[in-house]
Structure formats: C-alpha cells, structure tokens
C-alpha cells in the first residue's frame, strides 16, 4: 500500500486534513501539540473509472486502491535538539513512501501560529531543516561506525563510507537527498544504502498549502518550483466541513470537486504511479504499479505466481471497454489486444492475465 507521512508546524491544519481524508476522529485544537501519538489512517482512492467498470461487469465487489496516511505531532524549530514533540515521532514516517508538507498560508488572528507570524517560506525551511538534521544525526552515526571498519581494510565498508559521506555533503549544502538523487546517476550501492537507511530527505515530497483565498504569493510558488516539487492548494477546514457532501451537493453549493482528490492524484504523480484494473462478475478492482512496469510486473501486484508464470495478457483501455458495452463485445470487435512480457502497462488499462 502506498503510504504518505504528513509533517508540518503545529496549528497548520495537519489534524484537520487527516480527519477530512480518513473521516477518522482525531483531536483538533487551536494550540500546539494537540497531536501527541501518531495518527494512522487508510484512505480509499476515489476513481470514477472503477465505478463505471464495476457497473459494466455487474460486479459483486468493488475494491479501490488505498493510501495510508501517518500524521505526527507538529515540528518546531529546534526539534532536532528536543524542542516540542514532533522529533520523537519522525521515526514513524521513516517507512512511508513520500512526505507531504502541510503549510499554512492564511492569516487569521484567532488561530495561533507557533512563530506568531505567518511566513510559508520560513516555515518550509524550518521543516526541511529539521528533517535534514534528523538524517544527519543518522548519517554521522553511520560514518563513525564505517570509518573504523574501513581502516581495517573492509572493502564494503570503504564503498559504503564513500556513499554516506556524499549524502552528508549534500545535506550540509542544503540539498535534500531526494534532490541529489534526481541530479545524479545512482549506483546500485548508492540505492542500497539509501534504502537501508530510510532517510527522511530521500523520499519524494510535495506540499499542501492550507489556503483561504488569494494568499499564495508568486515568491512562494517560485520557491516550491525551485525545489523541484509540486503543491496542492486546499482550504482544509472547508474540506472537513464538506467531507460528507455528495458530488451533486458540492456542485450545488459551488464547491466543485474536492481538493482531496487532487491531493491524492498529486501523490500518485510524485511517486510515478499508475492504476490498472481487473473486472468481472466477482469483483472489479484497481491496482497500483509504477510507471514503466511491464505486464509481468503488473501481474505480480496481484500474485507473485502471476509474474513468475506469466504467459500473456489481454488488454484494453477502460473507456474503449465501456464503449464496447462488454468484454465479449470488445473481443468480437477486435479491441482486445494480446500482449507479451515486454508490454509496458498504461494508466487505465483493463487487464486479464494468463499464466501457467
């Protein structure tokens, strides 16, 4: 399951966002550190294509993909030195696939800001610094251990030490490991070390700007663009208040589509993920795989045997299947393709895997 860790300063809307996403009651309060224990919730990914395919197949079950969100206590400047509570829980997001920075851009006097003033760029830099310092702490411990082994002539330790020193240099120069990885060709050793260390700054990241109107400056947009990231603009409180409204009710009230959909879709884009489908009378199901996955790799998302014993796949895009009216009609019209092991799965493919 795709997992996203939520970080932010206290009182920026993290817990409100978490509740809106998961419809799970967590404490929401206008004071720092209302969230003490990490909140974890699973969110079904909304996808109209899934519902339409299920209707076409008269499926008994509909199974969407899901994302796990982990919300930890707010971070503050100096968290790496024990300030606040957030530093205690950073370990809870080490295993997540991506980081979502929640940043407040609105100015409301009755909602306290931990720094007394609202400055999104300053707040982002605080968060990025605290994650980097946490990683540096891990890296420096690793270096101390590796240097001793390297002096004894341990070849693996020497190679790993070289990698870890480059990671330290990157963070010392205010470049997160993820950005370093984007700018440089990674060796197998490099990727292995990063995976083992589960560095917070090695994860893809994006921003949720908690906004109540025209309060996102051009400077902030440019800053995020320079980081090579993306952002989603949402009024988090409004999303929570309207979370139980249907699509029709939202349109009647002039709210449009929920910003939470855009948030989830942006998470998929950041992680280079796509969705493919399987459909039939028993169930219609959405599956997640990486962009560039081959048909056998996609089959392996369903069952490992499907990948190792893959023979071929029957494939059609979801909209063409809907236009045909049924799998049988699509087959008779020659719309279903037979693809082999080299086929690269596309977002929206409906697939039937044949295996030995």
């Amino acid at each position: 399951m795709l997992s996203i860790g939520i970080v932010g300063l206290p009182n920026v809307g993290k817990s409100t966002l978490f509740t809106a996403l998961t419809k799970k009651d967590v404490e929401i309060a206008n004071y720092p550190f209302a969230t003490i224990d990490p909140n974890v919730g699973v969110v079904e990914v909304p996808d109209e294509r899934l519902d339409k395919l299920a209707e076409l197949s008269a499926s008994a079950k509909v199974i969407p993909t899901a994302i796990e969100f982990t919300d930890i206590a707010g971070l503050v400047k100096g968290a790496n030195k024990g300030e606040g509570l957030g530093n205690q829980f950073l370990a809870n997001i080490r295993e997540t696939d991506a980081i979502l920075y929640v940043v407040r851009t609105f100015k409301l006097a009755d909602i306290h800001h931990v720094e007394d003033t609202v400055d999104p760029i300053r707040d982002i830099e605080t968060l990025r610094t605290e994650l980097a310092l946490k990683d540096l702490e891990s890296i420096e411990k690793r270096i101390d251990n590796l240097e001793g082994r390297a002096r004894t002539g341990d070849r693996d330790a020497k190679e790993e030490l070289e990698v870890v020193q480059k990671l330290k240099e990157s963070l010392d120069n205010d470049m997160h490991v993820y950005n370093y990885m984007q700018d440089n060709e990674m060796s197998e050793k490099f990727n292995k070390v990063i995976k083992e260390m589960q560095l917070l700054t090695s994860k893809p990241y994006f921003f949720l700007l908690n906004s109540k109107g025209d309060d996102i400056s051009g400077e902030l947009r440019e800053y995020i663009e320079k980081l090579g990231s993306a952002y989603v603009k949402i009024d988090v409180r409004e999303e929570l208040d309207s979370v139980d409204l249907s699509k029709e009710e939202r349109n009647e009230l002039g709210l449009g589509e929920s910003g939470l959909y855009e948030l989830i879709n942006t998470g998929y884009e950041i992680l280079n993920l796509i969705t493919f489908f399987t459909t039939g009378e028993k169930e219609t199901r959405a599956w997640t795989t990486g962009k560039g996955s081959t048909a056998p790799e996609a089959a392996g998302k369903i069952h490992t045997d499907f990948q190792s014993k893959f023979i071929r796949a029957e494939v059609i895009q979801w909209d063409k299947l809907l236009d045909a009216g049924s799998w049988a009609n699509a087959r008779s019209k020659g719309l279903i393709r037979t693809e082999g092991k080299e086929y690269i799965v596309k977002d929206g493919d409906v697939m039937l895997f044949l295996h030995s």
Side-chain angles (χ1 to χ4, degrees), residues 290-311:
K291 284 182 183 176
S293 294
T294 61
E297 288 169 340
K301 300 295 180 182
I302 300 173
H303 197 289
T304 52
D305 282 353
F306 287 13
Q307 180 170 355
S308 59
K309 298 177 181 179
F310 177 90
I311 297 174

Side-chain angles (χ1 to χ4, degrees), residues 182-195:
Q182 297 298 106
D183 293 347
N184 295 274
E185 190 173 336
M186 296 293 100
S187 66
E188 187 177 332
K189 185 72 174 180
F190 221 110
N191 287 326
K192 182 182 177 185
V193 170
I194 289 171
K195 186 175 181 180

